[in-house]
Amino acid sequence: MVYDLQGKVVLITGASSGIGRATAIEFHRAGSRVVIAARSKDKLDTLADELGGDRVLPLKMDATSEADRQSVLAMTREAFGSIDVLVNNAGWASFGTVQRIPMGNVEQMIALNLVAPIALARDVIPEMLERGSGQIINISSVVGFQAIPRMTAYSATKAALNGFTTGLRMELKGSGVDVLLVAPGSTNTPFFTSAAAIDATATRVAETQYTPEKVGWAIVTSSRKRRSEVILTVEGKAITWIRRGWPRLADWIMYGVAKKGMPIS
Ligand SMILES: NC(=O)c1ccc[n+]([C@@H]2O[C@H](COP(=O)([O-])OP(=O)(O)OC[C@H]3O[C@@H](n4cnc5c(N)ncnc54)[C@H](OP(=O)(O)O)[C@@H]3O)[C@@H](O)[C@H]2O)c1
C-alpha cells in the first residue's frame, strides 16, 4: 500500500520558495530524484547547491507557458527517464474585491493555479498509465473549500482545482495512478508579500501558522501513505468541517476573518 519514494522522479513546480522548496527538500531526503522548477533560476540553483549530488535538477519554467512546460518535461525525461510524481504547487494570489481586481490578475491566477496543473497532468498521465503507477499531487488551499471575501477569485481557482482533482481521481481509479489533494491553511511563506494587493491588504488571516517545512513534510507523508485528501491547520480542518453542516455559519466566520485580517483600503 505504501508508495516507495526511493529513486522516484518528482517534478515540483514553484520550488524556488516556500512550500515548494520545502517539499523538494523533503522528497530529496526521502531518496527521490527531484526536478525543481520555477521562474527564479538563481534561487533554484542555490537550492540545488544546498542539496548537492546528482539527484536534483533545477529548471527554469514559467508554468503558464506551454513552451516552458514542454521543455521542462523533455529535459526531465532526458535526464531521469520518466516522471513518477508531479507536484502542482506553483501558485499566486491577488487580493481585492471582485469589482476592483484587474482582469489581468484574474487571468494570471486562472492560468497558473488551474490551467497549468491541468496541462501538466495531461502531459504526464500517458506515461504513468503505461507504467501502471505514479502520483499527481495538487496543492490547493483551505479557501478552495470555503471561500474568503477579497480573495474571491483566488478561492475560485482553488475550488476549481479541487473539482479537477476529484474528477481526475475517479477517471484514474484502478489504474495505479494516485491523485492527491493537499490543502494548506495559513503558512509562513513569501506568498503574502508576492501577492498583488489591490484594495484589500494581503495579510495573514489566521492566528496559528504552519511553517513551509511542516507543509512539505505533510505533502511527502501524504504521497508515501497515498492519502487522497489532506487539509492542514486546526483552523482549516475546523472551517471545512463547519462548512459541511452549517454553510451559513462558515460564511459568517470567514466574513469576520476577512473584515479583521484584510480590511478594504
Ligand atoms: N502560504 C499560504 O498561506 C498558502 C495557503 C494555502 C495554499 N497555498 C498554496 O501553496 C502553494 C505554494 O505557495 P507558497 O506559500 O509556498 O508561496 P510562495 O513562497 O510565494 O511560492 C510560490 C512559488 O510559485 C512560483 N511561481 C509563481 N508564479 C509562477 C509561474 N508563473 N511559473 C512558475 N512558478 C511560479 C514561485 O517561484 P518564481 O517566482 O521563482 O516563479 C514560487 O516558487 C501555492 O499554490 C499557494 O496557492 C499557500
Side-chain angles (χ1 to χ4, degrees):
M1 270 306 280
V2 171
Y3 191 70
D4 181 11
L5 295 172
Q6 190 72 33
K8 291 288 191 303
V9 178
V10 184
L11 168 58
I12 304 157
T13 68
S16 63
S17 167
I19 293 169
R21 189 181 202 279
T23 303
I25 293 169
E26 200 62 36
F27 269 114
H28 190 266
R29 190 175 290 145
S32 304
R33 291 175 282 173
V34 293
V35 181
I36 49 177
R39 294 166 305 176
S40 311
K41 184 68 166 46
D42 51 333
K43 292 185 189 167
L44 297 174
D45 288 340
T46 304
L47 175 57
D49 287 346
E50 273 174 37
L51 293 175
D54 57 3
R55 289 193 291 114
V56 57
L57 178 65
L59 295 176
K60 187 173 165 65
M61 173 177 81
D62 180 342
T64 66
S65 152
E66 170 67 7
D68 278 16
R69 291 193 295 258
Q70 291 311 320
S71 131
V72 161
L73 292 168
M75 284 191 273
T76 301
R77 288 173 184 134
E78 199 183 312
F80 291 143
S82 63
I83 294 132
D84 296 295
V85 180
L86 165 67
V87 185
N88 280 314
N89 164 77
W92 179 75
S94 178
F95 287 60
T97 54
V98 170
Q99 71 271 23
R100 296 280 302 281
I101 188 170
M103 269 318 286
N105 289 11
V106 174
E107 283 159 10
Q108 176 66 12
M109 284 190 281
I110 294 171
L112 182 63
N113 303 352
L114 180 63
V115 177
I118 295 175
L120 283 167
R122 277 170 54 86
D123 287 331
V124 299
I125 285 169
E127 68 194 79
M128 290 183 178
L129 285 178
E130 207 172 298
R131 278 198 317 271
S133 75
Q135 291 190 335
I136 295 166
I137 307 177
N138 293 331
I139 309 306
S140 179
S141 168
V142 167
V143 301
F145 292 93
Q146 166 62 51
I148 187 160
R150 290 157 227 161
M151 283 182 85
T152 304
Y154 172 78
S155 303
T157 64
K158 293 297 188 178
L161 185 65
N162 291 359
F164 168 65
T165 309
T166 308
L168 184 64
R169 185 180 301 125
M170 289 187 277
E171 285 185 19
L172 298 181
K173 192 172 162 56
S175 70
V177 181
D178 303 326
V179 182
L180 287 71
L181 183 94
V182 178
S186 192
T187 310
N188 191 5
T189 71
F191 178 79
F192 298 91
T193 42
S194 302
I198 305 304
D199 60 354
T201 52
T203 47
R204 300 184 170 92
V205 291
E207 293 297 321
T208 60
Q209 279 191 9
Y210 270 23
T211 61
E213 289 73 27
K214 198 166 174 183
V215 178
W217 179 86
I219 291 168
V220 174
T221 303
S222 306
S223 162
R224 193 182 276 117
K225 297 192 172 177
R226 306 177 75 177
R227 290 192 177 131
S228 47
E229 195 169 285
V230 175
I231 296 166
L232 301 175
T233 72
V234 172
E235 286 97 340
K237 287 182 211 295
I239 197 71
T240 48
W241 182 78
I242 292 168
R243 173 90 211 165
R244 271 183 225 127
W246 304 273
R248 287 175 64 187
L249 174 60
D251 286 357
W252 181 79
I253 292 168
M254 282 306 232
Y255 174 83
V257 167
K259 201 170 171 187
K260 186 169 152 235
M262 39 175 138
I264 303 237
S265 51

